Amino acid sequence: MPRVISDDCVSCGTCAGDCPVGAIEAGDTKYVIDADSCIDCGACEGSCPVGAISEA
């Protein structure tokens, strides 16, 4: 199941840099994960400094 980013996101971009498949990009108000590209590896969840990423 792909990960999702909550509204707690502070748009630091750490998760995007840690995603091995480039499934994360800046959205209008927070970063977003492309569910079709996400391989559910959890790298982004572990790197988020505010805990804004979780399983969908």
Side-chain angles (χ1 to χ4, degrees):
M1 181 175 293
R3 305 285 200 243
V4 293
I5 301 176
S6 74
D7 290 338
D8 294 334
C9 175
V10 294
S11 297
C12 68
T14 301
C15 59
D18 286 347
C19 180
V21 295
I24 304 173
E25 61 184 34
D28 291 337
T29 59
K30 63 180 182 176
Y31 273 71
V32 293
I33 299 173
D34 177 8
D36 292 332
S37 299
C38 178
I39 60 171
D40 195 30
C41 68
C44 59
E45 185 174 0
S47 70
C48 180
V50 296
I53 303 173
S54 62
E55 289 187 53

